[in-house]
Amino acid sequence: MLAQVHDGDGYPVNWPDRPGEWLMEPSQFASWVAELDGRVVGHIGLSCGGAGDVAPIHWSRLEGRPVRSTAVVSRLFVSPTARGYGIGALLMAEVVREAQERDLHPVLDVVATDTAAAALYERLGWRLLATVDQRWSPAQTVTVHCYAAPAPI
C-alpha cells in the first residue's frame, strides 16, 4: 500500500531502503492502522520530536512551552482505493486523542507540495505555524509547512 501511495502521490518523497523500518521510526511511541473490509488501508504514527522535526520548535516559540511538550504526527497515508471515507480524519483524531492523554500537543511537518495533506490538516482546524526550507541531504532542500493541532477545549 505504501508503494501505491508513493507511486501516485509521491509520499514519502524519498522511497526508503527499508519501508518497514521507516514506518517504525525509533522515536515513535504509538502507531495505528485503519482497516476497511478486512484490509489495512491507512497508517499513522506518533513520536517524540527528533532533530529533523521543525514543527515542535516553532510551536514552542509561539506558545512559550518546551519542545518536549509536543508529540509529532508522522507517517500518515491512506490507500488510494480507500480515500473519501474519512479515514485520514479518523486517524488524525486518534493521534490527537493519544497525544492529549499524554499531556502533549500534536504538531507535524508536511512537504509544501503535498497540498492534499495540508488541506486535510486545515479542514481539521490545524494551525499553520511556519513554512521553512529544510535540508534533507547535501543535495536536497525541501520546503515544509509546520502545523499544530487546535488547542484542546
Side-chain angles (χ1 to χ4, degrees):
M1 175 184 52
L2 181 59
Q4 290 175 338
V5 171
H6 176 72
D7 291 344
D9 302 333
Y11 179 82
V13 172
N14 300 319
W15 183 253
D17 291 334
R18 295 181 178 90
E21 290 178 17
W22 178 82
L23 286 174
M24 298 177 61
E25 59 190 323
S27 63
Q28 190 175 90
F29 55 81
S31 64
W32 297 262
V33 295
E35 291 184 7
L36 181 64
D37 297 328
R39 61 189 172 89
V40 174
V41 295
H43 178 275
I44 198 166
L46 194 59
S47 60
C48 301
D53 297 308
V54 292
I57 295 166
H58 287 283
W59 180 86
S60 174
R61 288 180 186 155
L62 288 169
E63 297 295 324
R65 295 186 53 203
V67 169
R68 70 179 178 276
S69 296
T70 64
V72 178
V73 177
S74 62
R75 312 302 196 244
L76 171 61
F77 57 95
V78 175
S79 169
T81 62
R83 295 189 181 153
Y85 292 96
I87 293 168
L90 289 171
L91 289 167
M92 291 292 290
E94 189 60 27
V95 295
V96 167
R97 183 200 58 74
E98 179 69 22
Q100 290 174 347
E101 281 187 7
R102 294 173 181 254
D103 199 28
L104 300 171
H105 195 91
V107 297
L108 61 85
D109 300 336
V110 61
V111 293
T113 56
D114 195 344
T115 56
L120 170 66
Y121 307 141
E122 291 175 12
R123 194 169 55 250
L124 296 174
W126 285 56
R127 176 175 49 134
L128 179 63
L129 302 172
T131 299
V132 299
D133 289 333
Q134 265 190 321
R135 181 166 299 284
W136 284 6
S137 73
Q140 185 181 33
T141 299
V142 178
T143 302
V144 298
H145 297 309
C146 303
Y147 283 93
I153 299 174

